[in-house]
Amino acid sequence: MAAYDIAVIGAGIAGASLAAELAAQTGSGEGIVLLEAEDQPGYHTTGRSAAFWSETYGGPGIVPLSLASGDSLCDMGFLHRRGALHMVRGDAMGTLDSFMATYADTGAKLEKVGRQVMEAHVPGLRPEWQGAVYEPECSDIDVAGLHQHYLGQAARAGASLSCRARVVSCRRTAGAWQITCADGRSFEAALLVNAAGAWADEIARLAGAAPLGITPYRRTVVQLALGRVPPPDLPLVLDIGGTFYFKPENGRLWLSPHDEVADRPGDVAADEMAVAEAIDRFENVVDWPVDRVERRWAGLRSFAPDRLPVYGYDPDCEGFFWCAGQGGFGIQTAPAAARMAARLVTGAAPEEGDFGIDPAAYLPGRFREVPRDVPGG
């Protein structure tokens, strides 16, 4: 049995970034193992991201993590500025002020714009779309590059990665976790980090920890070939009401109906009705002809009941640390979230250059007074 100080279950962006940050903070990754159920890390969620960084994505409670991560992502070369237009129809102009008010004290950079600015950004915009909030800092993010950066950083520090290591048993004995995988391999670790994404509650049950109600939701994305090449500088275009978003990608268009359907952990596929809804909504935004659907896929975004991520030691299960419920924004918040979580793991005091995020809102103990085995969101 291989013995480690820390076993991180899940090698998507959450587990990879935390492992890399733990290795950096402790000076060595040799005591860390990443246990990944699939043939390769990031298969279910990280590898299926729509690949944008937005200050408003995830709501006001996520803004501190996003803003704290933005400069780091830019410095590392993983962001490319695009901008975003959060649009409304003429009969819903009042929602612009509500949207602005929601983020008024968060530090997010937003400005209201009218039809003239919208037309300059989105040629062929249909006339019913009359107002928008422009988010200038919204950027494309190199998800694969960022994920590989963290995996590489962890590996260079000595951390081990074991793929096809689906955990089927976790038992704590004499101050250490005995972890068994489906293929018979076993590992021992003093600390178990639950970065299992959609499987986070399942891992908690295996370890004897109370599940938090972390629920996976399916999100569908399609790649369209259009009768015209979308402008390469087209911003990310979203409906404030949450019924679509789209952006250009290498001469094609990535489009989502912004669906959010509770699902089971697993390898999800695009829903054909969601694909049809996405195209119908897109055709009611711009007059661009759709030639064909070239690709379609779906990913799982997992949320805790209050829609905030969960970072911290379980208050009732010794040696069990939560790093879960990132809801799709785990990629854009990775630098700040991983550093904050690593400090919680080690108990180290903040240092100059840290992001200064207060972890109180993200600790798992916030669910102690509510039922924790009922999915929420």
Side-chain angles (χ1 to χ4, degrees):
M1 178 185 297
Y4 295 89
D5 298 321
I6 302 171
V8 180
I9 300 180
I13 194 68
S17 60
L18 180 54
E21 190 63 41
L22 282 169
Q25 290 189 20
T26 61
S28 173
E30 293 182 359
I32 301 170
V33 63
L34 280 158
L35 302 178
E36 171 55 50
E38 304 299 339
D39 292 345
Q40 61 187 34
Y43 176 75
H44 290 288
T45 299
T46 302
R48 307 185 191 195
S49 166
F52 62 80
W53 181 93
S54 165
E55 292 175 318
T56 60
Y57 186 39
I62 307 303
V63 174
L65 292 169
S66 298
L67 292 181
S69 298
D71 287 344
S72 290
L73 292 169
C74 189
D75 290 345
M76 289 188 285
F78 295 119
L79 294 186
H80 175 72
R81 186 74 56 81
R82 176 166 297 283
L85 272 177
H86 303 262
M87 303 196 309
V88 298
R89 293 182 174 89
D91 59 357
M93 294 293 283
T95 59
L96 294 178
D97 289 330
S98 298
F99 187 84
M100 295 284 288
T102 297
Y103 295 95
D105 300 320
T106 64
K109 299 180 180 67
L110 303 171
E111 58 180 299
K112 279 203 301 183
V113 297
R115 175 74 191 188
Q116 185 175 358
V117 172
M118 296 164 68
E119 288 177 343
H121 282 293
V122 188
L125 184 66
R126 296 197 182 277
E128 58 265 35
W129 298 92
Q130 290 293 316
V133 171
Y134 184 59
E135 182 184 335
E137 301 295 325
C138 182
S139 301
D140 293 337
I141 183 168
D142 179 359
V143 175
L146 180 64
H147 189 209
Q148 288 302 314
H149 164 80
Y150 282 126
L151 288 171
Q153 182 178 328
R156 288 189 297 274
S160 300
L161 170 64
S162 291
C163 292
R164 296 178 292 281
R166 183 173 298 279
V167 174
V168 295
S169 174
C170 302
R171 183 169 53 90
R172 191 165 178 84
T173 303
W177 290 99
Q178 312 300 319
I179 305 163
T180 305
C181 298
D183 62 1
R185 282 180 291 169
S186 59
F187 301 84
E188 180 179 283
L191 171 65
L192 185 65
V193 173
N194 182 5
W199 287 263
D201 271 3
E202 290 190 10
I203 294 299
R205 291 187 182 96
L206 287 177
L212 300 183
I214 292 178
T215 305
Y217 293 85
R218 186 177 66 247
R219 171 63 52 86
T220 303
V221 183
V222 298
Q223 178 176 297
L224 302 178
L226 305 174
R228 59 179 295 175
V229 176
D233 59 350
L234 181 77
L236 173 69
V237 180
L238 312 93
D239 171 23
I240 278 184
T243 64
F244 66 80
Y245 58 79
F246 59 84
K247 56 172 269 191
E249 185 70 22
N250 296 323
R252 299 296 193 260
L253 193 90
W254 282 8
L255 166 70
S256 174
H258 210 276
D259 52 330
E260 189 168 283
V261 181
D263 211 326
R264 295 179 178 274
D267 189 5
V268 294
D271 179 80
E272 289 303 316
M273 181 61 72
V275 171
E277 289 176 345
I279 294 172
D280 178 68
R281 293 169 186 176
F282 173 73
E283 291 177 334
N284 281 283
V285 178
V286 291
D287 62 5
W288 306 351
V290 175
D291 280 355
R292 63 189 180 279
V293 176
E294 293 187 327
R295 293 174 56 208
R296 67 198 76 196
W297 67 93
L300 293 175
R301 304 156 66 252
S302 300
F303 291 94
D306 61 2
R307 314 289 284 193
L308 294 178
V310 186
Y311 300 108
Y313 282 102
D314 190 284
D316 303 312
C317 186
E318 184 183 1
F320 188 86
F321 188 94
W322 290 87
C323 180
Q326 286 86 7
F329 42 77
I331 297 164
Q332 72 170 44
T333 62
R339 188 169 300 181
M340 177 189 71
R343 295 236 176 266
L344 290 172
V345 168
T346 63
E351 296 179 357
E352 186 176 352
D354 281 358
F355 298 111
I357 302 297
D358 184 357
Y362 312 120
L363 297 175
R366 68 187 191 267
F367 297 109
R368 293 183 84 170
E369 304 303 321
V370 297
R372 303 205 295 181
D373 56 352
V374 179

